[in-house]
């Protein structure tokens, strides 16, 4: 079974169940869920995924709820805990293996305690909740800050010392940060646990095979390093407004031919 997956983020303007249906019809057996509302992490959505016949291999912590996780307010911390508990419960029921989050900002001086510590506590609570249900937290690289380079990303995750957290790579974010995806993955201490794959050619998050990334070379490296996760495509919705089903099928054929 080829472990290819596609992110529902490319169809965020649709009902998530409709997005998952499109992804499954294109041939993908797995999907990364980008929740857009509370219902997307509910028993209702679980039933829909079972009916569609698709596995939620990973969940990207919802971008629309970043204000909950990366927040220093005590009241919001209580809400963040409840959200994390529900996310973990959903992930367990869905058989999800990875939850993706982003690095924190770099805080200095007094802001380390005022902002950094409570936000770090939020992240640790999420990781603990996911650890109890056997889910790995995938820390994604970022075009700036601690996630910009392989050595800084490694050092950041190592310093957090969270047992179920591992490094992951987003190819477009690597290029935006001035790095080369091949060299970034080569220079990481360990092979990424998870991938976000999209192409880049002045425009970001374009469909795989339509930009300047040397995918054959990159995939050869990942196989050499024994990558065992899901080959997850995460392009932008902008490129799926016209003929989304046709583009999805092209993506599926391209990625399965490579791996």
């Amino acid at each position: 079974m080829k472990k290819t997956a596609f992110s529902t983020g490319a169809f965020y303007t649709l009902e998530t169940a409709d997005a998952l249906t499109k992804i499954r019809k294109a041939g993908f057996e797995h999907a990364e869920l980008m929740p857009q509302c509370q219902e997307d992490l509910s028993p209702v959505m679980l039933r829909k995924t079972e009916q569609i016949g698709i596995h939620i291999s990973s969940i990207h912590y919802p971008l629309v709820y970043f204000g909950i996780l990366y927040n220093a307010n005590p009241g919001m911390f209580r809400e963040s805990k409840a959200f994390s508990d529900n996310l973990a419960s959903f992930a367990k029921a869905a058989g999800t293996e990875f939850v993706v989050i982003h690095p924190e900002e770099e805080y200095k001086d007094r802001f380390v305690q005022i902002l950094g510590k409570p936000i770090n506590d939020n992240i640790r609570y999420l990781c603990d909740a996911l650890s109890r249900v056997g889910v790995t937290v995938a820390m994604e690289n970022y075009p700036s800050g601690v996630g910009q380079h392989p050595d800084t990303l490694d050092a950041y995750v190592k310093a957090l010392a969270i047992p179920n957290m591992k490094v992951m790579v987003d190819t477009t974010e690597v290029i935006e940060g001035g790095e080369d995806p091949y060299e970034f993955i080569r220079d990481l201490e360990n092979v990424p646990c998870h991938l976000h794959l999209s192409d880049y050619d002045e425009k970001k998050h374009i469909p795989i095979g339509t930009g300047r990334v040397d995918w054959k070379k990159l995939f050869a490296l990942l196989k050499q390093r024994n990558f065992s996760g899901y080959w997850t495509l995460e392009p932008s919705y902008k490129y799926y407004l016209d003929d989304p089903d046709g583009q999805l099928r092209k993506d599926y054929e391209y990625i399965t031919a490579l791996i």
Side-chain angles (χ1 to χ4, degrees):
M1 179 180 66
K2 293 185 176 182
K3 296 172 69 173
T4 58
F6 196 96
S7 170
T8 62
F11 300 102
Y12 87 96
T13 59
L14 303 180
E15 291 282 358
T16 296
D18 293 339
L20 290 168
T21 298
K22 285 182 176 295
I23 292 167
R24 184 67 190 94
K25 285 183 177 179
F28 294 94
E29 297 181 4
H30 312 278
E32 177 163 294
L33 178 64
M34 172 67 83
Q36 301 298 330
C37 59
Q38 294 279 4
E39 185 182 279
D40 286 350
L41 293 172
S42 71
V44 172
M45 183 55 64
L46 279 172
R47 289 194 295 273
K48 289 180 179 178
T49 62
E50 293 171 359
Q51 292 166 359
I52 294 165
I54 196 163
H55 169 227
I56 303 300
S57 48
S58 56
I59 298 171
H60 195 309
Y61 192 95
L63 297 181
V64 294
Y65 290 120
F66 266 18
I68 295 177
L69 184 63
Y70 304 94
N71 195 308
N73 179 267
M76 187 57 80
F77 181 35
R78 292 190 290 273
E79 294 193 23
S80 175
K81 290 168 67 176
F83 190 90
S84 293
D85 288 339
N86 183 61
L87 174 58
S89 177
F90 180 94
K92 179 182 180 181
T96 299
E97 296 175 49
F98 302 96
V99 167
V100 177
I101 64 172
H102 290 186
E104 305 155 81
E105 292 185 22
E106 295 182 87
Y107 299 106
K108 295 181 180 180
D109 303 323
R110 61 197 290 184
F111 297 105
V112 172
Q113 286 297 317
I114 295 172
L115 297 177
K117 186 182 184 305
I119 290 173
N120 190 268
D121 288 344
N122 286 353
I123 291 173
R124 290 182 183 280
Y125 186 93
L126 170 67
C127 293
D128 286 346
L130 292 170
S131 178
R132 289 193 290 272
V133 296
V135 174
T136 296
V137 177
M139 179 58 73
E140 185 175 348
N141 59 292
Y142 199 70
S144 61
V146 296
Q148 186 173 1
H149 308 293
D151 58 337
T152 59
L153 183 61
D154 271 336
Y156 171 64
V157 171
K158 191 174 293 187
L160 287 173
I162 296 173
N164 64 321
M165 179 185 288
K166 296 181 179 179
V167 168
M168 67 158 288
V169 170
D170 180 305
T171 53
T172 285
E173 305 290 353
V174 167
I175 298 172
E176 279 197 285
E179 294 270 4
D180 175 82
Y182 180 90
E183 295 174 358
F184 195 102
I185 291 172
R186 180 198 64 194
D187 294 342
L188 284 171
E189 184 175 335
N190 297 300
V191 66
C193 70
H194 188 59
L195 297 171
H196 280 169
L197 304 170
S198 60
D199 227 319
Y200 189 98
D201 189 8
E202 306 312 321
K203 296 179 180 179
K204 62 181 183 178
H205 290 298
I206 60 178
I208 190 169
T210 62
R212 68 187 197 210
V213 176
D214 187 339
W215 293 106
K216 288 184 179 180
K217 179 181 177 182
L218 186 62
F219 281 25
L221 172 65
L222 285 160
K223 291 176 182 178
Q224 179 186 340
R225 298 206 67 185
N226 297 315
F227 174 71
S228 60
Y230 293 87
W231 306 79
T232 303
L233 302 183
E234 194 208 34
S236 170
Y237 76 96
K238 298 176 184 177
Y239 308 105
Y240 294 80
L241 299 176
D242 299 317
D243 189 23
D245 296 322
Q247 182 59 57
L248 265 173
R249 188 65 197 177
K250 288 180 185 177
D251 295 336
Y252 179 75
E253 292 172 353
Y254 191 94
I255 189 74
T256 52
L258 276 174
I259 65 170

